[in-house]
């Protein structure tokens, strides 16, 4: 046992030296998560307001002014320019100067009085994000304004309304649980942590193992009394330490710079992320047995990165995906880690939550399978 | 000079063809992405699993729920008895939204204070965005229709209210059905070309430095500029093949309309590819080995995806990020590819962007050959 520990420590020492020697990789790995955190924190907006709008107002009367006010008061739209022609509205959208356009016909007030007011509203369909927030809003704003007009009309005819017509009889209050202001950062920080840790663990370990094989170090190791398990565990340990350091780094900035609170137990989270790192390292080792050189690892890594971005639930919801896509996503450890980190950090769920343990169970499965198969795989390789 | 460039091109072509895995991968990655976006990913989340706590069970509550379900944004999965149960269902990820209708809903509406609570899972960005927006809007639309009905029941009003006094027609230009793919394919073209350009060039330049053949080439009378141009051209063709593949699958198979002029577009794309290859050359002159070049590529991709307008609108970004965006060819090309494909506009409107890209190409090649020469000294 003592000998085993010595051999294990020797491997760890060797890996640490290798890691420290590769300065650029080390710096890159520590800098990328921070850059990504800052970039996303400042660039990602999921709710869009103040959409620039062009207006072609042929009426210039009270009716048109009120309608324009209804649009701008909603905060969804800002009047960015006033134009004088239908074509100019479309041209402004074509050129990307505005994202929406409102065309008001002449004599709107009179037309409204006759009950035949009609305006047309245009939205830029090439910008999906802007559109998702604005399309429904544009419709409702117009409907509400129309209703107000109707009510005014009725009151002008001196009829008595049953309830106060300016107030809706049904109000819908929407409450976003856990993240009441839907702060984008609360989505971003767990995501950054999950993807960085996974990619770093996978690429790091796979590259180390393959490089050793490429340089012929693996054969030299054969001549030593070291066992495959000791060798592999020794390779893993420095990466676990680095991964944990990265994790703390991102959360440090998240907490102290961006002031995002961590709701659940940080210790529980740390423990579970340990399991996550372990299962990602396992995937890395599995890849190293499949790839024959570093170039191939980079290509496999690019593929994994792609799947992680698209299918793990990091950005796009897994809910509407077809089964095969869910299956591919299910092969990635971060698919299970994301709900865990979001659960603990945003929802504040603890150990009593069943959904949490389901995901943890799968991660344990990853660790177990890989721990069982990898010593076998690496031994086979050496024969 | 032409002879020397041709020689480099020939050599480069052999190297590319010989490296099968890289070539296969560079054609496979874009294909996988299109398929994933085409079949697997939807950005407009509908059919959100929803729990219902209906404490009224009357006509008004049913009408409200109907309007939610009819919007197609909410699917009722569970009927629960209390708000606590609903919150638990969200905690346990069984549903992602919950509607709570208070008791005596009809009476409350008559008194004008019917209040429905919709809880939304805030942990998933797209779901919560879609649920939040649509819950608000469906609720408002329903309220408006209820109010209209109430008003029209007042004696004497029904003759008056035959039509809405004002009608607004909302029209979505370019992408009326809000098809994700129409939006995604142009973005993918821009992204894939830039990523692949950097990767391919890095492989061809940095590998040579790694194996040590770069020094051998330098002994020959070839100049840095000639060498760089020679290395650019074969990769240019590979990237054009990439572009053709994406366009083919996107337009023919997924039926994404291509509204603009193809010939004009290819010219613009060529300038863009040149600019991206230039960026790739710059990356490979500053990186020591392939691994490092790969890391730079990941970093540049991450940065450019967030600041170029690929996903998040640039108009909403802080000034600094907006400026960083100008460092990437993608920022100039995205409006071009979206403009041509979605809007059907041409060089007449897009020339400022095209000019910027041409300037970009000149500057980056100048910079790279400067750096390259410096490295050799």
């Amino acid at each position: 046992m003592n000998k085993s520990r010595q051999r294990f420590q020797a491997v760890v020492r060797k890996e640490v030296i290798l890691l420290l020697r590769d300065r650029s990789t080390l710096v890159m790995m520590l800098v990328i998560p921070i850059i990504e955190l800052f970039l996303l924190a400042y660039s990602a907006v999921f709710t869009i307001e103040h959409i620039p709008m062009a207006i072609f107002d042929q009426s210039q009367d009270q009716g048109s002014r009120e309608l324009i006010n209804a649009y701008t008061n909603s905060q969804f739209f800002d009047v960015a320019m006033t134009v004088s022609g239908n074509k100019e509205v479309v041209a402004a959208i074509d050129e990307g100067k505005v994202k929406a356009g409102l065309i008001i016909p002449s004599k709107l007030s009179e037309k409204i009085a006759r009950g035949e007011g009609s305006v047309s509203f245009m939205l830029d369909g090439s910008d999906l994000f802007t559109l998702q927030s604005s399309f429904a809003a544009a419709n409702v704003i117009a409907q509400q304004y129309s209703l107000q007009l109707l009510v005014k009309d009725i009151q002008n005819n001196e009829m008595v309304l049953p309830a106060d017509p300016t107030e809706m009889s049904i109000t819908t209050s929407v409450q976003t649980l856990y993240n009441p202001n839907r702060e984008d950062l609360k989505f971003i920080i767990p995501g950054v942590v999950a993807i960085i840790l996974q990619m770093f663990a996978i690429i790091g370990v796979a590259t180390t193992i393959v490089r050793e094989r490429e340089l012929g170090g693996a054969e030299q190791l054969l001549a030593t009394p070291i066992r495959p398990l000791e060798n592999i565990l020794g390779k893993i340990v420095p990466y676990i330490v680095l991964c944990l350091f990265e994790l703390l780094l991102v959360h440090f900035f998240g907490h102290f710079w961006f002031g995002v609170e961590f709701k659940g137990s940080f210790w529980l989270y740390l423990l579970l992320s340990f399991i996550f790192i372990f299962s990602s390292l396992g995937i890395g080792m599995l890849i190293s047995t499949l790839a024959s050189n570093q170039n191939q690892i980079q290509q496999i890594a690019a593929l994994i990165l792609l799947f992680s971005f698209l299918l793990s639930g990091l950005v796009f919801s897994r809910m509407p995906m077809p089964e095969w896509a869910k299956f591919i996503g299910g092969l990635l450890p971060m698919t299970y880690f994301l709900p865990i980190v979001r659960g603990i950090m945003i929802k504040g769920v603890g150990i009593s939550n069943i959904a949490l343990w389901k995901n943890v169970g799968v991660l344990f499965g990853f660790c177990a399978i890989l721990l069982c198969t990898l010593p076998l795989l690496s031994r086979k390789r050496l024969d | 000079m032409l002879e020397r460039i041709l020689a480099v091109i020939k050599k480069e072509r052999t190297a590319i063809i010989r490296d099968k895995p890289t070539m296969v991968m560079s054609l496979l990655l874009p294909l996988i992405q299109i398929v994933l976006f085409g079949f697997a990913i939807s950005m407009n989340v509908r059919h959100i699993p929803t729990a219902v706590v209906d404490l009224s069970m009357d006509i008004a509550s049913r009408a409200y729920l109907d309007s939610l379900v009819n919007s197609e944004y909410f699917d009722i999965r569970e009927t629960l008895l209390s708000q606590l149960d609903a919150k638990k269902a969200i905690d346990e990820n069984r549903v992602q939204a919950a509607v709570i209708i208070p008791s005596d809903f009809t009476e409350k509406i008559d008194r004008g204070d019917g209040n429905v609570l919709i809880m939304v899972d805030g942990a998933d960005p797209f779901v919560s965005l879609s649920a939040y927006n649509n819950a608000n809007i469906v609720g408002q639309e329903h309220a408006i229709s209820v109010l209209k009905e109430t008003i029209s029941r007042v004696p004497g009003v029904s003759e008056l209210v035959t039509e809405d006094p004002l009608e607004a027609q909302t029209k979505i230009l370019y992408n009326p059905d809000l098809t994700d793919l129409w939006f995604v394919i142009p973005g993918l073209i821009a992204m894939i070309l830039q990523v692949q350009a950097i990767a391919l060039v890095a492989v061809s330049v940095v590998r040579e430095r790694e194996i040590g053949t770069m020094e051998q080439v330098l002994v020959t009378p070839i100049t840095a500029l000639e060498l760089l141009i020679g290395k650019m051209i074969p990769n240019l063709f590979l990237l054009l093949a990439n572009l053709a593949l994406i366009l083919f699958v996107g337009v023919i198979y997924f039926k994404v309309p291509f509204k603009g002029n193809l010939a004009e577009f290819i010219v613009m794309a060529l300038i863009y590819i040149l600019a991206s290859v230039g960026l790739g050359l710059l990356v490979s002159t500053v990186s020591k080995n392939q691994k490092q070049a790969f890391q730079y590529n990941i970093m540049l991709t991450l940065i450019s995806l967030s600041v170029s307008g690929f996903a998040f609108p640039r108009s909403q970004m802080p000034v600094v990020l907006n400026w960083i965006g100008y460092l990437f060819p993608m920022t100039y090309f995205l409006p071009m590819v979206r403009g041509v494909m979605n809007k059907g506009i041409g060089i007449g409107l897009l020339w400022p962007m095209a000019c910027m890209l041409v300037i970009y190409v000149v500057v980056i090649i100048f910079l790279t050959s400067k750096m390259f020469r410096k490295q050799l000294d």
Side-chain angles (χ1 to χ4, degrees):
Chain A
M1 200 57 222
N2 214 356
K3 279 259 171 69
S4 170
R5 207 171 71 199
Q6 242 174 20
R7 291 192 293 258
F8 166 72
Q9 278 170 351
V11 178
V12 172
R13 208 172 309 135
K14 187 201 82 184
E15 282 307 317
V16 171
I17 292 171
L18 276 178
L19 257 175
L20 290 181
R21 206 187 283 160
D22 191 359
R23 275 290 151 69
S24 71
T25 308
L26 201 63
V27 169
M28 197 70 98
M29 284 307 168
L30 295 177
V31 166
I32 284 181
I34 303 305
I35 291 182
E36 198 180 358
L37 180 66
F38 274 78
L39 276 178
L40 285 176
Y42 289 114
S43 74
V45 264
F46 288 102
T47 30
I48 291 150
E49 289 175 341
H50 302 288
I51 296 161
M53 169 173 74
I55 285 182
F56 174 35
D57 184 354
Q58 298 167 72
S59 296
Q60 310 263 6
D61 57 15
Q62 200 195 344
S64 72
R65 264 192 302 274
E66 276 177 14
L67 179 67
I68 293 167
N69 279 341
Y71 278 105
T72 49
N73 285 343
S74 69
Q75 306 285 317
F76 266 108
F77 301 99
D78 279 353
V79 180
M81 58 196 288
T82 319
V83 294
S84 50
N86 282 353
K87 280 198 182 133
E88 284 173 48
V89 176
V90 179
I93 298 179
D94 272 350
E95 287 166 45
K97 281 190 206 146
V98 295
K99 299 272 179 198
L102 177 63
I103 297 168
I104 302 174
S106 58
K107 298 182 187 154
L108 185 69
S109 293
E110 284 171 37
K111 282 178 184 155
I112 288 175
R114 286 203 305 272
E116 50 194 38
S118 167
V119 298
S120 70
F121 194 79
M122 278 185 271
L123 284 162
D124 183 347
S126 69
D127 190 340
L128 201 67
F129 271 73
T130 313
L131 205 67
Q132 274 177 352
S133 343
S134 60
F135 176 57
N139 273 330
V140 165
I141 292 164
Q143 277 185 27
Q144 254 172 344
Y145 178 64
S146 168
L147 190 71
Q148 271 175 27
L149 290 173
L150 193 66
V151 168
K152 225 193 276 169
D153 203 19
I154 293 167
Q155 282 169 335
N156 286 344
N157 281 282
E158 292 175 352
M159 270 176 247
V160 188
L161 289 170
D164 182 4
T166 51
E167 252 172 63
M168 293 287 165
S169 51
I170 306 176
T171 47
T172 303
S173 359
V174 183
Q175 180 190 359
T176 312
L177 294 180
Y178 328 119
N179 187 1
N181 303 320
R182 282 168 303 116
E183 294 159 50
D184 304 328
L185 263 176
K186 286 197 175 170
F187 302 134
I188 290 165
I189 290 176
V192 169
V193 169
I195 196 156
I196 289 291
L197 288 192
Q198 185 188 278
M199 291 321 290
F200 183 45
I202 292 177
I203 300 177
V205 155
T207 317
T208 321
I209 296 178
V210 171
R211 186 174 48 196
E212 191 167 81
R213 201 182 304 141
E214 272 186 318
L215 296 176
E219 258 121 63
Q220 284 171 21
L221 273 180
L222 252 185
T224 68
I226 196 158
R227 297 194 192 101
L229 191 66
E230 289 163 6
N231 186 23
I232 280 173
L233 281 181
K235 283 198 166 46
I236 285 181
V237 168
Y239 283 93
I240 294 181
V241 174
L242 251 176
C243 283
L244 283 176
F245 181 70
E246 286 202 58
L247 176 135
L248 291 175
L249 200 67
V250 173
H251 281 290
F252 177 84
F253 275 99
H255 191 85
F256 292 103
W257 182 280
F258 293 109
V260 176
E261 66 163 339
F262 196 94
K263 257 201 180 152
S265 152
F266 194 74
W267 294 111
L268 174 68
Y269 167 65
L270 219 52
L271 187 75
L272 296 180
S273 34
F274 188 73
I275 300 168
F276 167 63
I277 294 170
F278 218 78
S279 36
S280 302
L281 289 169
I283 300 270
M285 290 191 285
L286 195 63
I287 289 172
S288 71
T289 62
L290 300 172
S292 55
N293 56 48
Q294 291 185 54
N295 200 9
Q296 275 178 23
I297 287 186
Q298 288 174 1
Q299 282 159 352
I300 298 174
L303 207 61
I304 295 181
L305 186 67
L306 183 67
F307 286 141
S308 306
F309 254 108
L310 301 180
L311 300 178
S312 69
L314 177 76
V315 187
F316 306 104
S317 172
R318 270 168 65 76
M319 195 186 65
M321 286 179 195
E323 288 306 316
W324 61 266
K326 277 187 188 158
F327 175 78
I328 299 177
L331 298 174
L332 302 162
M334 70 178 281
T335 305
Y336 307 95
F337 185 62
L338 270 174
I340 294 177
V341 50
R342 283 184 180 150
I344 298 178
M345 192 182 148
I346 305 176
K347 298 188 183 183
V349 300
I351 44 175
S352 60
N353 187 293
I354 306 159
L356 180 78
W357 289 110
K358 263 189 226 156
N359 289 317
V360 174
V362 179
L363 284 185
F364 266 120
F366 269 105
C367 297
I369 294 171
L370 291 157
L371 271 186
C372 293
T373 53
L374 277 165
L376 291 175
L377 280 168
S378 55
R379 195 171 295 156
K380 223 174 170 182
R381 274 262 167 188
L382 300 178
D383 286 340
Chain B
M1 177 179 168
L2 205 67
E3 217 171 295
R4 290 193 292 260
I5 292 179
L6 276 175
V8 178
I9 290 176
K10 212 168 176 191
K11 194 214 85 186
E12 220 32 56
R13 200 193 59 197
T14 320
I16 288 174
I17 293 173
R18 209 184 282 156
D19 188 2
K20 285 258 161 61
T22 307
M23 207 163 84
V24 170
M25 210 53 184
S26 82
L27 292 173
L28 206 61
L29 274 181
L31 210 61
I32 293 175
Q33 290 187 54
I34 294 190
V35 169
L36 287 184
F37 273 104
F39 291 122
I41 290 161
S42 59
M43 299 204 264
N44 206 352
V45 182
R46 284 165 199 266
H47 302 287
I48 298 159
T50 306
V52 165
V53 181
D54 186 351
L55 300 172
S56 288
M57 305 284 258
D58 55 17
I59 302 173
S61 73
R62 229 160 303 147
Y64 188 91
L65 290 175
D66 279 348
S67 66
L68 271 187
V69 173
N70 286 339
S71 72
E72 291 196 355
Y73 283 99
F74 301 91
D75 271 6
I76 295 174
R77 290 279 170 84
E78 290 184 36
T79 313
L80 302 170
L81 295 175
S82 73
Q83 189 172 337
L84 242 100
D85 288 345
K87 185 159 186 301
K88 207 172 145 218
I90 297 181
D91 271 349
E92 285 170 9
N93 271 334
R94 296 205 309 269
V95 294
Q96 284 181 298
V99 188
I100 294 121
I101 298 180
S103 55
D104 306 321
F105 195 47
T106 312
E107 286 162 41
K108 279 182 183 148
I109 290 179
D110 286 340
R111 284 205 307 271
D113 59 357
N115 191 359
V116 179
L117 176 67
I118 297 184
M119 290 194 288
V120 172
D121 184 346
D124 185 321
F126 273 78
V127 172
S128 80
L129 171 69
S130 172
Y132 182 84
N133 280 343
N134 291 298
N136 262 327
I137 274 146
V138 173
Q140 272 184 14
E141 276 177 344
H142 184 71
I144 289 173
S145 71
V146 167
L147 190 57
K148 257 187 210 163
E149 218 187 282
T150 322
I151 292 173
S152 69
R153 275 207 303 266
V154 175
V157 170
S158 57
E159 295 92 66
L160 207 73
V161 191
T162 46
E163 265 172 67
D164 276 346
L166 179 76
E167 215 177 306
Q169 287 153 339
T170 309
K171 198 164 44 168
I172 297 173
L173 297 180
Y174 324 124
N175 189 357
D177 300 323
L178 287 187
T179 318
D180 285 353
L181 221 53
W182 292 21
F183 175 73
V184 167
I185 292 277
L188 270 186
I189 291 176
M191 179 184 87
I192 288 170
L193 288 181
Q194 188 187 297
V195 173
Q196 298 277 32
I198 299 176
L200 287 173
V201 173
V203 167
S204 85
V205 176
V206 181
R207 188 176 44 197
E208 195 143 2
R209 191 170 319 134
E210 270 185 325
I211 327 171
T213 45
M214 191 60 98
E215 263 107 57
Q216 289 170 19
V217 175
L218 294 174
V219 201
T220 65
I222 198 160
T223 64
L225 193 65
E226 285 164 8
L227 184 66
L228 293 180
I229 292 174
K231 279 194 170 299
M232 267 173 131
I233 289 172
N235 285 313
L236 218 69
F237 279 103
L238 202 53
L239 289 164
L240 275 178
N242 250 318
L243 172 68
L245 186 72
I246 310 169
L247 271 181
F248 183 78
V249 177
V251 176
I252 307 287
Y253 189 80
F254 287 109
K255 308 215 159 39
V256 176
F258 191 98
K259 290 186 184 147
N261 182 327
L262 187 63
E264 253 179 38
F265 177 69
I266 289 176
V267 173
M268 290 190 246
L270 213 58
I271 304 172
Y272 173 59
I273 291 174
L274 268 175
S276 305
V277 168
L279 187 61
L281 283 174
L282 189 65
V283 167
S284 32
T285 44
V286 294
S287 39
K288 286 196 203 77
N289 49 46
Q290 286 187 61
K291 195 172 155 203
Q292 222 178 64
F294 183 68
Q295 289 163 353
Y296 281 130
N297 196 4
I298 290 188
M299 196 166 80
L300 291 179
T301 308
L302 284 175
I303 299 176
S304 57
L305 287 186
S306 1
V307 299
S308 66
F310 173 76
F312 311 112
R314 275 171 62 73
S315 61
Q316 311 266 327
M317 272 172 216
V319 187
V320 180
L321 286 193
N322 213 309
W323 275 98
I324 293 177
Y326 290 122
L327 297 176
F328 297 94
M330 209 194 258
T331 308
Y332 308 101
F333 188 60
L334 273 170
M336 291 160 83
V337 61
R338 292 206 172 119
V340 173
M341 283 190 76
N342 292 337
K343 302 184 177 179
I345 58 181
I347 198 77
L349 284 174
L350 293 169
W351 63 267
M353 291 290 165
C355 282
M356 291 298 280
L357 266 186
V358 172
I359 296 171
Y360 191 97
V361 173
V362 173
V363 170
I364 202 136
I365 289 186
F366 175 75
L367 255 174
T368 309
S369 59
K370 257 268 160 71
M371 301 256 297
F372 193 72
R373 219 168 296 147
K374 210 168 169 191
Q375 253 184 2
L376 303 180
D377 291 341

